Amino acid sequence: VFGSDMEYIGRWSFNNMSSLTEVDLSRSTNLETIARSAFQGTRITEVVIPSSTSTIQDEAFSNNPNLGTILVRGKVDSSNFNTIGNNWSGTANVIYELASCYVYENGTITDYHSICGSNVSVPSNLGGVNITEISSEAFLNKNLTDVEIPSSINVIGSSAFSGNDINPIIVRGKASASDFNSLGTNWHGDNHVIYENDDSTCLKVEGSNLVGYYNHNVCPREVRIPSYINSISDNPFSDILLTSITVEDGTKLETLGTNWHGNVLKVNFEGSSYEKNCFDIEGSTVTNYPLYCPAAVTIPEQIDGATIDSIGPNAFRNRAITSVNIGAHIEEIGSNAFENNNLSLVGISEGLEVIGQRAFYNTGLSEIALPSSIREIGAEALAMNNGLNEIVLIGKTSEDDFDYLGNNWNGTCENIIYSGN
């Protein structure tokens, strides 16, 4: 194995070393010269010459009876070398990467030399010929691991990529199989296909269960979960840095595994998926709001057909929410319901009657307006909000207008405005 600092392999360096069976130049990205008879008379079986090599001298690989193929990276033919010696390759078959890795005829690739590597980006042009088709079994059993197919390919024959463990096949410029003119039976073998123009093909799905996501440069870091997904396995985005996750309208996620949302702290929910996935209820009461749900909260009037009229104790406690909109359908907020959040905005509509103790304890409020419908405010309901400068009590003239006001309900805020006066 030669390292990246290797620039020159001298003459007769490994000459007549019959015990030498393997030479790895894959890391020798700065290798410029292979001198005369450097590997003459060994037992090596194949060689890959890096694209950086510009000089190969006489007999460099001659008299190697087991050497079947030499692959030359980054070149079309021998004219691309600065210097090429006599009988440098001996009896070996020389394949030039930019001309000979593919066997093709009339715009159709019919075969591929596996020595050219396991990572294949199918060319759209070979020798001035536009490539539009891949024939049946062209890449069959070639030990491929990565494949990209350009948008110019319109026909792929049967079993063209069968017998390979490719993870996955990337099809550029297309959204589905229907964008091809023709696809043969089992053209992709057992390999998954990602279509560049359909992000959902980046999802690893078993039935309706999302089990993973392909960490490939064609797959966006903004993930959308379609409505046909109803469950997500543990750690589907493991080791992938996402920028967002959006659950599409109508999606109901029945089962969620551990760390299902990866590094994304707050998931976007479109349309009805918000109420379907972000509110646990018992009867007409919201009992829990998952931490991964949006920071801006709107309490729905109906969830799963149930009319919602109350928020239960601790329902939004420690949920990293920043705003909440409480509509006229909510009559009661339970104790500690919104404790320990950072609320920059709270909207409470007429209709709310009861605020439980510590309901808005330590929530970062700077001001709040409470509707005239409120009858009871529990102890310390607004306490530990040191920046709370103003409490407006709409339609009230004094504390006597309430049925109950708990101890220290207003915390440290002394600027209480009775707007009924």
Side-chain angles (χ1 to χ4, degrees):
V1 178
F2 295 85
S4 60
D5 56 344
M6 179 64 64
E7 298 179 2
Y8 181 90
I9 299 176
R11 60 177 60 188
W12 301 298
S13 293
F14 300 93
N15 183 265
N16 290 326
M17 280 192 180
S18 58
S19 61
L20 182 61
T21 59
E22 184 177 353
V23 172
D24 184 356
L25 300 174
S26 62
R27 301 178 186 176
S28 304
T29 53
N30 294 306
L31 180 63
E32 296 179 1
T33 300
I34 301 175
R36 180 184 180 91
S37 302
F39 293 96
Q40 186 180 36
T42 69
R43 291 294 182 268
I44 56 178
T45 57
E46 64 179 41
V47 173
V48 179
I49 307 295
S51 58
S52 60
T53 304
S54 58
T55 297
I56 304 180
Q57 295 178 357
D58 297 347
E59 309 287 345
F61 293 95
S62 68
N63 194 27
N64 287 296
N66 298 332
L67 182 55
T69 304
I70 298 174
L71 170 65
V72 180
R73 294 283 189 196
K75 291 177 175 58
V76 175
D77 54 36
S78 61
S79 67
N80 294 149
F81 287 99
N82 293 340
T83 302
I84 192 74
N86 293 323
N87 196 34
W88 73 271
S89 57
T91 58
N93 177 38
V94 180
I95 295 175
Y96 290 92
E97 182 182 29
L98 299 186
S100 306
C101 282
Y102 302 89
V103 179
Y104 62 98
E105 183 178 358
N106 298 325
T108 300
I109 292 175
T110 59
D111 199 4
Y112 174 76
H113 295 291
S114 57
I115 191 177
C116 291
S118 60
N119 189 340
V120 171
S121 182
V122 178
S124 58
N125 187 284
L126 286 169
V129 177
N130 291 328
I131 302 299
T132 59
E133 299 186 16
I134 298 171
S135 71
S136 296
E137 301 185 357
F139 294 89
L140 178 69
N141 297 326
K142 301 296 185 182
N143 296 316
L144 304 182
T145 58
D146 294 275
V147 170
E148 286 199 13
I149 298 173
S151 58
S152 62
I153 301 296
N154 293 315
V155 175
I156 303 178
S158 298
S159 302
F161 293 94
S162 293
N164 297 288
D165 187 12
I166 304 167
N167 188 29
I169 297 175
I170 307 297
V171 177
R172 296 287 186 179
K174 290 179 171 59
S176 68
S178 63
D179 290 339
F180 287 95
N181 293 340
S182 175
L183 287 174
T185 304
N186 197 36
W187 71 270
H188 53 78
D190 294 328
N191 306 295
H192 180 73
V193 179
I194 292 177
Y195 291 94
E196 182 180 26
N197 294 346
D198 181 4
D199 295 345
S200 69
T201 58
C202 291
L203 302 172
K204 297 180 182 180
V205 178
E206 296 177 357
S208 59
N209 182 39
L210 175 61
V211 299
Y213 192 74
Y214 286 95
N215 189 11
H216 193 280
N217 59 18
V218 76
C219 294
R221 293 304 181 254
E222 303 85 19
V223 174
R224 296 184 64 83
I225 297 177
S227 58
Y228 61 80
I229 299 296
N230 63 26
S231 63
I232 302 179
S233 296
D234 295 342
N235 302 301
F237 304 107
S238 178
D239 299 325
I240 302 175
L241 247 122
L242 303 180
T243 56
S244 67
I245 296 174
T246 298
V247 179
E248 294 183 356
D249 184 20
T251 306
K252 173 59 176 173
L253 301 173
E254 301 287 353
T255 305
L256 295 172
T258 302
N259 196 34
W260 71 270
H261 48 90
N263 67 293
V264 176
L265 299 181
K266 291 292 185 182
V267 176
N268 303 315
F269 290 86
E270 294 181 338
S272 64
S273 71
Y274 177 58
E275 64 184 51
K276 289 175 181 288
N277 296 282
C278 284
F279 299 90
D280 296 336
I281 63 171
E282 291 182 9
S284 60
T285 301
V286 174
T287 58
N288 182 53
Y289 185 82
L291 183 60
Y292 53 75
C293 283
V297 176
T298 297
I299 312 296
E301 292 188 27
Q302 287 200 330
I303 300 173
D304 290 338
T307 299
I308 303 302
D309 61 16
S310 61
I311 298 169
N314 301 298
F316 293 86
R317 187 172 184 266
N318 296 318
R319 290 298 183 264
I321 62 174
T322 56
S323 69
V324 59
N325 183 21
I326 300 170
H329 57 292
I330 299 298
E331 299 174 359
E332 181 176 353
I333 299 174
S335 59
N336 308 89
F338 294 98
E339 183 178 353
N340 296 337
N341 288 287
N342 189 19
L343 299 176
S344 59
L345 180 64
V346 175
I348 301 177
S349 300
E350 191 73 24
L352 182 66
E353 297 181 5
V354 177
I355 298 177
Q357 65 180 8
R358 290 194 169 196
F360 291 95
Y361 187 90
N362 190 32
T363 53
L365 291 174
S366 59
E367 60 182 13
I368 191 169
L370 302 179
S372 61
S373 55
I374 291 182
R375 299 181 294 102
E376 299 181 10
I377 303 178
E380 298 187 317
L382 299 171
M384 279 300 293
N385 291 295
N386 296 330
L388 184 56
N389 300 313
E390 181 180 273
I391 300 172
V392 178
L393 301 176
I394 299 172
K396 306 294 188 185
T397 59
S398 70
E399 292 185 354
D400 295 335
D401 291 340
F402 291 94
D403 293 342
Y404 174 77
L405 286 175
N407 181 50
N408 195 30
W409 69 272
N410 56 317
T412 58
C413 182
E414 297 180 358
N415 184 22
I416 301 173
I417 299 174
Y418 293 89
S419 71
N421 290 325

